[in-house]
Amino acid sequence: GAVVSQHPSWVICKSGTSVKIECRSLDFQATTMFWYRQFPKQSLMLMATSNEGSKATYEQGVEKDKFLINHASLTLSTLTVTSAHPEDSSFYICSATLDSSNQPQHFGDGTRLSIL
Amino acid sequence: RKEVEQDPGPFNVPEGATVAFNCTYSNSASQSFFWYRQDCRKEPKLLMSVYSSGNEDGRFTAQLNRASQYISLLIRDSKLSDSATYLCVVNARYSSASKIIFGSGTRLSIRP
């Protein structure tokens, strides 16, 4: 089945640090990748939709200058949390799909981000 | 009204029981439907797609009712390992694009 790899799986860093998270589709070309955030005991919240070669589409309330997304190839999208603060601590999950219409999404393992 | 709604539960049932939950969606032009399961502190994993004619995968049966705009998931002979949060996912079609929408999940706990 489709495999999506996310790295790193766990990050602990000081406030003010920028953190980059990578999402790779290992055995298929993902035209669309999604970035989610999930706080404890809450549902997934879509942050942005990333299409290869174009600018990401951010959901309302998500700061594009804070959460930089780059989808440079059909197998790699990155999310950079710039100048992270404790309130950015969360579980960040990416997913990828062959196309955005009828195919299911395949999720990476997630990145647990803790900002001290 | 939320675009995709699920009963948050928790559903607490004994091992071996049959349990079912529904998910309603508001966009009648929705195209595709999925059930995912998410274990605590893990990423969601695709459980099954939901087809118009209904489909079965082992102990799991998914059904779609377009007229009433809901999908359902039935789990027979439940196992302890079925304890998880079940997420309903709908691909909703709007005038210019489609949008994938997650329900907030239904928590299921199977007790020995």
Side-chain angles (χ1 to χ4, degrees):
Chain A
V3 178
V4 175
S5 171
Q6 192 172 335
H7 176 81
S9 56
W10 201 296
V11 181
I12 302 174
C13 56
K14 292 180 180 179
S15 185
T17 308
S18 291
V19 179
K20 180 189 273 190
I21 303 170
E22 292 186 348
C23 180
R24 293 180 186 273
S25 56
L26 298 183
D27 55 355
F28 68 104
Q29 293 187 324
T31 53
T32 305
M33 289 184 171
F34 303 89
W35 287 97
Y36 295 86
R37 182 166 57 179
Q38 187 174 35
F39 292 105
K41 298 187 178 181
Q42 294 188 25
S43 56
L44 287 171
M45 186 194 82
L46 178 65
M47 298 175 69
T49 302
S50 167
N51 291 296
E52 185 267 337
S54 62
K55 289 183 180 179
T57 302
Y58 289 81
E59 295 298 301
Q60 194 171 14
V62 179
E63 299 173 57
K64 62 180 181 181
D65 295 329
K66 170 79 173 176
F67 299 98
L68 301 178
I69 292 173
N70 185 293
H71 193 157
S73 75
L74 284 171
T75 59
L76 174 65
S77 177
T78 61
L79 167 69
T80 301
V81 182
T82 60
S83 187
H85 292 286
E87 59 266 28
D88 298 321
S89 299
S90 186
F91 188 44
Y92 291 84
I93 315 175
C94 73
S95 71
T97 183
L98 185 58
D99 67 60
S100 61
S101 58
N102 295 321
Q103 299 298 317
Q105 295 181 49
H106 301 279
F107 287 84
D109 293 340
T111 297
R112 201 159 299 281
L113 176 63
S114 294
I115 307 298
L116 306 177
Chain B
R1 182 187 172 189
K2 289 183 183 177
E3 291 177 277
V4 175
E5 287 200 76
Q6 292 183 252
D7 182 340
F11 285 64
N12 189 317
V13 302
E15 196 174 6
T18 295
V19 60
F21 19 86
N22 289 343
C23 165
T24 58
Y25 60 93
S26 61
N27 186 321
S28 60
S30 296
Q31 297 177 300
S32 48
F33 309 87
F34 309 94
W35 283 104
Y36 283 75
R37 69 169 280 167
Q38 185 176 24
D39 294 290
C40 188
R41 299 169 73 85
K42 297 281 190 179
E43 78 282 11
K45 291 188 186 295
L46 178 65
L47 182 63
M48 58 198 304
S49 301
V50 186
Y51 302 121
S52 296
S53 55
N55 48 301
E56 191 175 302
D57 183 1
R59 298 181 293 107
F60 299 85
T61 301
Q63 291 196 312
L64 167 63
N65 185 317
R66 283 194 185 273
S68 300
Q69 295 183 199
Y70 73 85
I71 65 171
S72 64
L73 178 67
L74 179 81
I75 305 174
R76 289 182 299 278
D77 187 25
S78 54
K79 312 290 184 192
L80 295 176
S81 57
D82 294 333
S83 297
T85 296
Y86 290 83
L87 302 169
C88 163
V89 181
V90 174
N91 192 324
R93 166 72 69 175
Y94 296 94
S95 56
S96 58
S98 61
K99 185 177 177 183
I100 297 170
I101 303 170
F102 278 77
S104 54
T106 297
R107 283 196 295 135
L108 175 65
S109 178
I110 308 297
R111 62 179 188 271

